[in-house]
Amino acid sequence: MSAILMDGKQVSLAVKDTLKERMPALKAQFGRVPCLTVIIVGENPASQSYVRGKVKACEYVGMDSRQVSLPESVSEEELLAIIGDLNRDDAVDGILVQLPLPKHIDESKVLEEIVPAKDVDGFHPSNVADLWLGRKCIVPCTPKGVMRLLEAHGIDPAGKLAVVIGRSNIVGKPVSKLLLDRNATVVMAHSRTKNLKELTLQADILVVAVGRAGLVTGDMVKPGAAVIDVGINRLDDGKLHGDVDAATVEPVAGYLTPVPGGVGPMTIAMLMENTVECFLRK
Ligand code: GUN
């Protein structure tokens, strides 16, 4: 037995194609297509590659995009002023600040500056509050992409034990809430969890979002489980590796997301959806 690989490229392409088909009607109704603005600070190669992927996806779908590239030395004040301008710009529907930011810039302050209505990442405290209160909100892209991949493979979290490793604001916390909303029993594990293997061996759904290559090995996985690997680690071999050791997990798991080509493309597709959602809410 070998796990079914969850093809994020294919599912994300279907999402993008659906959006692409809607563009002519949006243009006819509103006189323009949605516009995403991506802000990148500094020259982190990984961030640059992610931003290129986001801009390329806008082109594919037929949406407008703008890229604001700022030097590493940009001051917090300047960055906040640029966000303020974009907040007031009626031609801009979504604003995304690529993370991480340089140390001299307060990330929370920056994320709070984006008006919630244009917060395509769903990182603004008001969107976070709406998510946890069960209100309509912009759902963060990666967690939303994880849920969409499960759905596309007919995996219903209801009644299942879901173990999420990692408690970040970007992935671990929101994906736990989304799994809870779909009636999973959710365990949030992290670096201080003592009996990790004991927990993961019981997981029907295992989401790993830590940023440590090969953290989860086959001996930690329940046979038949759905294993979602959110990790993207570039190792010395120059290749991308997930947080899951695919070689030992694939023979045990029922489903596994590949890295690359699993969760990554889904994040971008969900960003496209969120941009259209912000556009339509205006
Ligand atoms: N850096 C890593 N993941 C993300 C994300 O989902 N959004 C933004 N803005 N930056 C990131």
Side-chain angles (χ1 to χ4, degrees):
M1 260 280 291
S2 186
I4 293 170
L5 289 180
M6 302 169 90
D7 189 344
K9 265 199 213 158
Q10 191 193 315
V11 178
S12 69
L13 191 61
V15 170
K16 287 189 290 184
D17 281 337
T18 302
L19 294 173
K20 188 175 179 168
E21 282 164 22
R22 287 177 65 191
M23 286 307 138
L26 293 181
K27 174 108 197 222
Q29 192 178 350
F30 300 101
R32 64 180 188 89
V33 291
C35 174
L36 172 68
T37 296
V38 181
I39 302 175
I40 178 167
V41 180
E43 279 164 20
N44 178 328
S47 290
Q48 285 175 327
S49 147
Y50 296 147
V51 167
R52 270 197 304 278
K54 290 167 186 181
V55 170
K56 252 178 67 183
C58 286
E59 283 165 11
Y60 180 85
V61 168
M63 298 197 308
D64 284 337
S65 68
R66 292 191 206 164
Q67 186 178 330
V68 180
S69 302
L70 301 169
E72 182 89 14
S73 59
V74 74
S75 70
E76 185 179 286
E77 203 183 350
E78 287 170 280
L79 178 55
L80 294 177
I82 288 165
I83 293 171
D85 289 342
L86 293 168
N87 283 340
R88 288 181 290 273
D89 188 338
D90 285 337
V92 172
D93 304 290
I95 304 169
L96 179 149
V97 178
Q98 186 64 35
L99 302 176
L101 288 168
K103 285 199 178 62
H104 66 277
I105 297 176
D106 182 345
E107 187 177 295
S108 316
K109 233 173 160 174
V110 169
L111 297 179
E112 278 184 54
E113 189 71 14
I114 300 170
V115 282
K118 296 188 180 185
D119 173 31
V120 283
D121 259 330
F123 292 166
H124 189 284
S126 121
N127 272 321
V128 177
D130 285 346
L131 177 72
W132 285 91
L133 292 170
R135 298 173 181 159
K136 194 169 162 42
C137 64
I138 300 292
V139 177
C141 306
T142 300
K144 190 178 180 182
V146 168
M147 300 308 289
R148 191 68 63 83
L149 258 186
L150 289 173
E151 197 185 305
H153 290 83
I155 300 165
D156 180 5
K160 301 212 167 92
L161 182 70
V163 173
V164 177
I165 314 179
R167 52 178 155 179
S168 69
N169 291 330
I170 294 182
V171 185
K173 285 182 207 165
V175 83
S176 298
K177 176 58 167 69
L178 295 178
L179 286 161
L180 185 62
D181 288 346
R182 296 293 310 275
N183 301 309
T185 301
V186 183
V187 173
M188 297 170 78
H190 44 79
S191 52
R192 301 286 288 271
T193 297
K194 285 217 171 92
N195 49 346
L196 184 64
K197 183 174 170 181
E198 214 174 283
L199 293 170
T200 58
L201 272 172
Q202 297 176 63
D204 304 300
I205 297 172
L206 180 58
V207 180
V208 196
V210 177
R212 224 165 80 205
L215 172 76
V216 169
T217 45
D219 59 316
M220 298 167 71
V221 172
K222 179 178 173 176
V227 180
I228 311 291
D229 188 352
V230 187
I232 301 178
N233 310 286
R234 193 174 291 279
L235 299 190
D236 293 337
D237 62 7
K239 290 187 193 150
L240 294 180
H241 294 258
D243 290 349
V244 171
D245 179 40
T248 57
V249 169
E250 216 183 305
V252 183
Y255 296 86
L256 174 63
T257 60
V259 176
V263 175
M266 293 304 297
T267 296
I268 295 185
M270 296 302 106
L271 174 64
M272 300 300 108
E273 269 197 10
N274 283 357
T275 305
V276 173
E277 202 176 315
C278 288
F279 171 84
L280 289 174
R281 281 210 215 170
K282 278 211 292 191

Tab-separated table of all heavy atoms in Angstrom, residues 20-44:
chain	number	residue	atom	x	y	z
A	20	LYS	N	-10.822	32.304	-13.497
A	20	LYS	CA	-10.518	32.864	-14.823
A	20	LYS	C	-11.790	32.991	-15.671
A	20	LYS	O	-12.002	34.000	-16.338
A	20	LYS	CB	-9.508	31.925	-15.505
A	20	LYS	CG	-8.938	32.419	-16.802
A	20	LYS	CD	-7.871	31.433	-17.296
A	20	LYS	CE	-7.292	31.874	-18.619
A	20	LYS	NZ	-6.092	31.094	-18.949
A	21	GLU	N	-12.624	31.972	-15.590
A	21	GLU	CA	-13.877	31.982	-16.365
A	21	GLU	C	-14.817	33.093	-15.916
A	21	GLU	O	-15.663	33.545	-16.679
A	21	GLU	CB	-14.593	30.624	-16.229
A	21	GLU	CG	-13.992	29.530	-17.100
A	21	GLU	CD	-14.450	28.139	-16.674
A	21	GLU	OE1	-15.507	28.016	-16.013
A	21	GLU	OE2	-13.716	27.178	-16.988
A	22	ARG	N	-14.664	33.516	-14.647
A	22	ARG	CA	-15.583	34.545	-14.123
A	22	ARG	C	-15.157	35.964	-14.496
A	22	ARG	O	-15.934	36.906	-14.352
A	22	ARG	CB	-15.646	34.446	-12.593
A	22	ARG	CG	-16.420	33.242	-12.102
A	22	ARG	CD	-16.388	33.162	-10.587
A	22	ARG	NE	-17.076	34.271	-9.946
A	22	ARG	CZ	-17.000	34.524	-8.643
A	22	ARG	NH1	-16.274	33.763	-7.865
A	22	ARG	NH2	-17.667	35.530	-8.117
A	23	MET	N	-13.894	36.126	-14.922
A	23	MET	CA	-13.358	37.480	-15.128
A	23	MET	C	-14.142	38.321	-16.134
A	23	MET	O	-14.439	39.487	-15.860
A	23	MET	CB	-11.871	37.436	-15.495
A	23	MET	CG	-10.962	37.115	-14.327
A	23	MET	SD	-11.219	38.205	-12.908
A	23	MET	CE	-11.145	37.005	-11.596
A	24	PRO	N	-14.501	37.757	-17.319
A	24	PRO	CA	-15.228	38.590	-18.280
A	24	PRO	C	-16.529	39.157	-17.698
A	24	PRO	O	-16.850	40.336	-17.924
A	24	PRO	CB	-15.511	37.615	-19.439
A	24	PRO	CG	-14.433	36.576	-19.332
A	24	PRO	CD	-14.182	36.422	-17.865
A	25	ALA	N	-17.240	38.357	-16.924
A	25	ALA	CA	-18.497	38.824	-16.336
A	25	ALA	C	-18.242	39.920	-15.295
A	25	ALA	O	-18.985	40.907	-15.223
A	25	ALA	CB	-19.251	37.658	-15.699
A	26	LEU	N	-17.177	39.759	-14.510
A	26	LEU	CA	-16.849	40.785	-13.501
A	26	LEU	C	-16.483	42.090	-14.191
A	26	LEU	O	-16.920	43.170	-13.787
A	26	LEU	CB	-15.688	40.322	-12.606
A	26	LEU	CG	-15.956	39.134	-11.689
A	26	LEU	CD1	-14.714	38.812	-10.847
A	26	LEU	CD2	-17.149	39.397	-10.768
A	27	LYS	N	-15.714	41.967	-15.243
A	27	LYS	CA	-15.282	43.151	-16.009
A	27	LYS	C	-16.509	43.855	-16.599
A	27	LYS	O	-16.616	45.087	-16.566
A	27	LYS	CB	-14.306	42.714	-17.109
A	27	LYS	CG	-13.886	43.789	-18.049
A	27	LYS	CD	-12.457	44.211	-17.816
A	27	LYS	CE	-12.187	45.558	-18.474
A	27	LYS	NZ	-10.950	45.676	-19.147
A	28	ALA	N	-17.440	43.059	-17.131
A	28	ALA	CA	-18.636	43.642	-17.742
A	28	ALA	C	-19.497	44.339	-16.695
A	28	ALA	O	-20.036	45.420	-16.923
A	28	ALA	CB	-19.433	42.544	-18.450
A	29	GLN	N	-19.584	43.723	-15.508
A	29	GLN	CA	-20.471	44.270	-14.473
A	29	GLN	C	-19.870	45.475	-13.756
A	29	GLN	O	-20.572	46.426	-13.435
A	29	GLN	CB	-20.802	43.161	-13.455
A	29	GLN	CG	-21.931	43.552	-12.519
A	29	GLN	CD	-22.288	42.430	-11.546
A	29	GLN	OE1	-21.811	41.290	-11.692
A	29	GLN	NE2	-23.107	42.734	-10.562
A	30	PHE	N	-18.547	45.421	-13.491
A	30	PHE	CA	-17.943	46.458	-12.646
A	30	PHE	C	-16.965	47.369	-13.395
A	30	PHE	O	-16.411	48.291	-12.818
A	30	PHE	CB	-17.221	45.813	-11.458
A	30	PHE	CG	-18.135	44.989	-10.587
A	30	PHE	CD1	-18.166	43.607	-10.694
A	30	PHE	CD2	-18.982	45.610	-9.660
A	30	PHE	CE1	-19.011	42.850	-9.893
A	30	PHE	CE2	-19.827	44.851	-8.858
A	30	PHE	CZ	-19.847	43.465	-8.986
A	31	GLY	N	-16.735	47.059	-14.674
A	31	GLY	CA	-15.861	47.917	-15.480
A	31	GLY	C	-14.377	47.672	-15.276
A	31	GLY	O	-13.538	48.314	-15.901
A	32	ARG	N	-14.044	46.747	-14.383
A	32	ARG	CA	-12.636	46.396	-14.175
A	32	ARG	C	-12.551	45.029	-13.509
A	32	ARG	O	-13.572	44.499	-13.051
A	32	ARG	CB	-11.922	47.449	-13.306
A	32	ARG	CG	-12.461	47.549	-11.882
A	32	ARG	CD	-11.701	48.604	-11.080
A	32	ARG	NE	-12.085	48.580	-9.672
A	32	ARG	CZ	-11.506	47.826	-8.739
A	32	ARG	NH1	-10.509	47.024	-9.042
A	32	ARG	NH2	-11.916	47.868	-7.490
A	33	VAL	N	-11.337	44.496	-13.460
A	33	VAL	CA	-11.138	43.199	-12.801
A	33	VAL	C	-10.493	43.453	-11.426
A	33	VAL	O	-9.960	44.543	-11.186
A	33	VAL	CB	-10.252	42.262	-13.655
A	33	VAL	CG1	-10.973	41.819	-14.911
A	33	VAL	CG2	-8.912	42.904	-13.976
A	34	PRO	N	-10.532	42.461	-10.517
A	34	PRO	CA	-9.915	42.656	-9.195
A	34	PRO	C	-8.415	42.936	-9.300
A	34	PRO	O	-7.765	42.486	-10.249
A	34	PRO	CB	-10.159	41.318	-8.492
A	34	PRO	CG	-11.328	40.718	-9.182
A	34	PRO	CD	-11.222	41.153	-10.610
A	35	CYS	N	-7.891	43.675	-8.322
A	35	CYS	CA	-6.464	44.024	-8.316
A	35	CYS	C	-5.827	43.709	-6.961
A	35	CYS	O	-6.295	44.162	-5.919
A	35	CYS	CB	-6.293	45.511	-8.630
A	35	CYS	SG	-4.587	46.075	-8.467
A	36	LEU	N	-4.772	42.913	-7.014
A	36	LEU	CA	-4.013	42.556	-5.811
A	36	LEU	C	-2.697	43.329	-5.798
A	36	LEU	O	-2.013	43.392	-6.823
A	36	LEU	CB	-3.709	41.051	-5.830
A	36	LEU	CG	-2.748	40.529	-4.737
A	36	LEU	CD1	-3.397	40.623	-3.358
A	36	LEU	CD2	-2.335	39.082	-5.025
A	37	THR	N	-2.369	43.924	-4.657
A	37	THR	CA	-1.054	44.554	-4.506
A	37	THR	C	-0.237	43.777	-3.486
A	37	THR	O	-0.695	43.529	-2.372
A	37	THR	CB	-1.188	46.024	-4.061
A	37	THR	OG1	-1.859	46.749	-5.099
A	37	THR	CG2	0.179	46.652	-3.838
A	38	VAL	N	0.957	43.380	-3.913
A	38	VAL	CA	1.856	42.624	-3.035
A	38	VAL	C	3.036	43.513	-2.675
A	38	VAL	O	3.689	44.077	-3.559
A	38	VAL	CB	2.360	41.343	-3.729
A	38	VAL	CG1	3.262	40.555	-2.791
A	38	VAL	CG2	1.199	40.485	-4.191
A	39	ILE	N	3.296	43.651	-1.385
A	39	ILE	CA	4.440	44.439	-0.923
A	39	ILE	C	5.527	43.490	-0.446
A	39	ILE	O	5.266	42.579	0.348
A	39	ILE	CB	4.029	45.373	0.245
A	39	ILE	CG1	2.897	46.308	-0.197
A	39	ILE	CG2	5.236	46.176	0.738
A	39	ILE	CD1	2.349	47.189	0.929
A	40	ILE	N	6.728	43.699	-0.944
A	40	ILE	CA	7.863	42.876	-0.490
A	40	ILE	C	8.968	43.799	-0.005
A	40	ILE	O	9.292	44.785	-0.657
A	40	ILE	CB	8.346	41.895	-1.591
A	40	ILE	CG1	9.547	41.092	-1.102
A	40	ILE	CG2	8.653	42.603	-2.909
A	40	ILE	CD1	9.893	39.890	-1.976
A	41	VAL	N	9.496	43.477	1.169
A	41	VAL	CA	10.574	44.275	1.749
A	41	VAL	C	11.849	43.431	1.772
A	41	VAL	O	11.840	42.319	2.300
A	41	VAL	CB	10.214	44.724	3.183
A	41	VAL	CG1	11.352	45.549	3.773
A	41	VAL	CG2	8.913	45.526	3.192
A	42	GLY	N	12.912	43.974	1.171
A	42	GLY	CA	14.191	43.261	1.191
A	42	GLY	C	14.315	42.266	0.062
A	42	GLY	O	13.490	42.250	-0.860
A	43	GLU	N	15.340	41.413	0.161
A	43	GLU	CA	15.643	40.531	-0.973
A	43	GLU	C	15.760	39.062	-0.579
A	43	GLU	O	16.533	38.308	-1.170
A	43	GLU	CB	16.914	41.025	-1.673
A	43	GLU	CG	16.575	42.175	-2.609
A	43	GLU	CD	17.753	42.989	-3.053
A	43	GLU	OE1	18.892	42.493	-2.972
A	43	GLU	OE2	17.527	44.140	-3.483
A	44	ASN	N	14.972	38.649	0.395
A	44	ASN	CA	14.921	37.246	0.770
A	44	ASN	C	14.502	36.408	-0.459
A	44	ASN	O	13.411	36.595	-0.999
A	44	ASN	CB	13.912	37.111	1.922
A	44	ASN	CG	13.719	35.681	2.386
A	44	ASN	OD1	13.817	34.741	1.603
A	44	ASN	ND2	13.449	35.525	3.659
